[in-house]
């Protein structure tokens, strides 16, 4: 490795082809150089934007490639820990799609492998790299909305027609909370810097063994939280931070540029509104560039495994509360 990070991808997932692969290719100080897949057709979709891509026919072969510095893992949820550890043991830096693990306890072997290898390991929690979230964190921290009283978050889409989707299957770690609950829970933790004290209530609907709709309320040290995620509702996403002196709203918080234009809207107590727009920012590219900078320069990575484990701890609290009902 010289002045850039050479990336490989384990598996030709649709999300990797449409979003993370192009982001790795576009990010400064990095290059997408290899893909592991046994499907020539799927490999062709990646080669279209990354000419000269080396294709390995197995994950093991890619991990053994001495010309690969970092690996992106977009495999089904239940395989994340296994292949993150294998990548680290092979001497590769690793970026693993969220959720990295199915329980907070499962982070332990990945953190141990990170420490043993000296390599960077992170969950692909891209939103914290987007300037809209950095702006939101700064505004709340500066007291722009006064004392925070309430956080409300929602994220939904409808995939009921795709029964084979890994999100609709219990054997692949599916469910709305593992898929998108990480966003509404983690974003709240990121902006406020607080951890939940107690899950107050859970309402969860399941189909085929996976959660498809949930409403949870929680108590944080200084505010009340309510969050909804669903795989059976019309597309919607919004996060609101409501304080004594104002309201902060993010209108496309999680799929900026796809769901809508990223913006942060501040309404003060006198009903004056200020809006910050971020039309050209790609959080996937920002994420890869932050990863590259950490690998090449030793820069602190904005979203360490310990932060991601904290979000999973909140999810675990939700499961425990629901099981106790």
């Amino acid at each position: 490795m010289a002045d850039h990070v050479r990336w490989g991808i384990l598996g030709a997932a649709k999300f990797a082809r449409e979003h993370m692969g192009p982001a790795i290719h576009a990010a400064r100080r990095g290059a997408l150089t290899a893909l592991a897949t046994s499907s020539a057709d799927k490999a062709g979709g990646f080669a279209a934007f990354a000419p000269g891509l080396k294709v390995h026919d197995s994950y093991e072969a890619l991990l053994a490639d001495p010309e690969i510095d970092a690996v992106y893992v977009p495999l089904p949820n239940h395989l994340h820990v296994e292949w993150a550890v294998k990548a680290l043991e092979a001497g590769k830096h690793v970026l693993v799609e969220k959720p990295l693990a199915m329980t907070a306890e499962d982070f332990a072997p990945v953190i141990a492998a990170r420490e043993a290898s000296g390599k960077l390991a992170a969950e692909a929690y891209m939103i914290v790299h987007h300037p809209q979230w950095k702006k939101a964190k700064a505004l709340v921290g500066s007291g722009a909305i006064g004392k925070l009283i309430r956080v409300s978050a929602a994220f939904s889409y409808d995939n009921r027609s795709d029964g084979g989707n890994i999100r609709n299957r219990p054997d692949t770690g599916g469910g709305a909370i593992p898929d998108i609950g990480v966003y509404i829970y983690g974003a709240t933790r990121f902006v406020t810097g607080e951890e939940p004290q107690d899950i107050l209530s859970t309402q969860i609907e399941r189909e085929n063994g996976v959660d498809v709709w949930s409403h949870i309320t929680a108590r944080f040290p200084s505010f009340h939280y309510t969050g909804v995620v669903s795989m059976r509702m019309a597309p919607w996403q919004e996060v609101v931070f409501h304080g004594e002196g104002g309201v902060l709203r993010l209108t496309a918080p999680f799929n900026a540029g796809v769901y809508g234009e990223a913006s942060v809207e501040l309404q003060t107590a006198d009903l004056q509104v200020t809006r910050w727009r971020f039309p050209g920012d790609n959080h996937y590219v920002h994420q890869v560039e932050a990863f590259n900078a950490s690998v090449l320069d030793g820069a602190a990575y904005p979203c360490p495994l310990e932060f991601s484990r904290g979000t999973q701890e909140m999810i675990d609290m939700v499961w425990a509360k629901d099981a106790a009902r």
Side-chain angles (χ1 to χ4, degrees), residues 85-152:
V85 170
K86 287 182 177 180
L88 290 165
E89 290 177 343
K92 313 299 185 187
H93 304 280
V94 62
L95 181 65
V96 188
E97 197 47 59
K98 55 81 201 159
L100 183 144
M102 304 311 299
T103 70
E105 183 179 358
D106 290 338
F107 273 78
V110 183
I111 291 175
R114 178 196 67 184
E115 296 303 299
S117 67
K119 301 297 181 180
L120 175 60
E123 180 183 67
Y125 195 63
M126 75 290 185
I127 65 169
V128 300
H129 303 277
H130 197 289
Q132 69 169 332
W133 282 105
K134 296 177 182 178
K135 185 68 175 179
K137 183 177 178 67
L139 287 168
V140 171
S142 71
I145 61 172
K147 183 179 184 297
L148 180 63
I149 304 297
R150 178 184 70 94
V151 176
S152 175

Side-chain angles (χ1 to χ4, degrees), residues 70-311:
V71 174
Y72 169 60
V73 181
L75 301 173
N77 295 345
H78 69 299
L79 298 175
H80 289 174
V81 168
E82 174 187 355
W83 287 98
V85 170
K86 287 182 177 180
L88 290 165
E89 290 177 343
K92 313 299 185 187
H93 304 280
V94 62
L95 181 65
V96 188
E97 197 47 59
K98 55 81 201 159
L100 183 144
M102 304 311 299
T103 70
E105 183 179 358
D106 290 338
F107 273 78
V110 183
I111 291 175
R114 178 196 67 184
E115 296 303 299
S117 67
K119 301 297 181 180
L120 175 60
E123 180 183 67
Y125 195 63
M126 75 290 185
I127 65 169
V128 300
H129 303 277
H130 197 289
Q132 69 169 332
W133 282 105
K134 296 177 182 178
K135 185 68 175 179
K137 183 177 178 67
L139 287 168
V140 171
S142 71
I145 61 172
K147 183 179 184 297
L148 180 63
I149 304 297
R150 178 184 70 94
V151 176
S152 175
F155 192 0
S156 63
Y157 60 86
D158 192 339
N159 72 350
R160 76 186 72 204
S161 64
D162 188 5
N165 190 295
I166 60 172
R167 295 163 186 81
N168 285 320
R169 293 169 48 191
D171 59 311
T172 54
I177 291 175
D179 186 41
I180 54 180
V182 293
Y183 291 127
I184 67 168
Y185 302 167
T188 301
R189 296 177 54 249
F190 174 74
V191 168
T192 66
E194 295 188 16
E195 302 295 342
Q197 293 177 317
D198 187 29
I199 304 300
L200 301 175
S201 66
T202 62
Q203 294 173 280
I204 300 177
E205 293 183 3
R206 292 179 170 84
E207 295 177 11
N208 188 38
V210 300
D211 63 291
V212 297
W213 179 90
S214 69
H215 174 228
I216 75 108
T217 61
R219 180 188 297 112
F220 281 72
S222 67
F223 63 91
H224 183 273
Y225 172 85
T226 179
V228 172
V229 294
S230 178
M231 304 191 300
R232 298 294 184 269
M233 296 170 67
W236 180 257
Q237 49 189 264
E238 179 183 63
V239 181
V240 175
F241 298 88
H242 195 164
E244 289 182 343
V247 179
L248 191 70
R249 187 168 75 99
L250 288 84
T251 58
F254 308 123
N255 293 123
V258 177
Y259 175 78
E261 181 182 88
S263 68
V264 176
E265 179 183 282
L266 173 64
Q267 178 176 301
T268 52
D270 59 0
L271 303 185
Q272 299 299 305
V273 176
T274 304
R275 182 177 291 108
W276 293 266
R277 299 170 57 244
F278 305 90
D281 286 278
N282 183 312
H283 47 202
Y284 301 116
V285 173
H286 288 320
Q287 175 180 242
V288 177
E289 290 181 344
F291 196 99
N292 291 344
S294 184
V295 169
L296 296 170
D297 306 329
Y301 191 68
C303 190
L305 290 179
E306 288 75 7
F307 174 85
S308 298
R309 181 177 59 191
T311 298

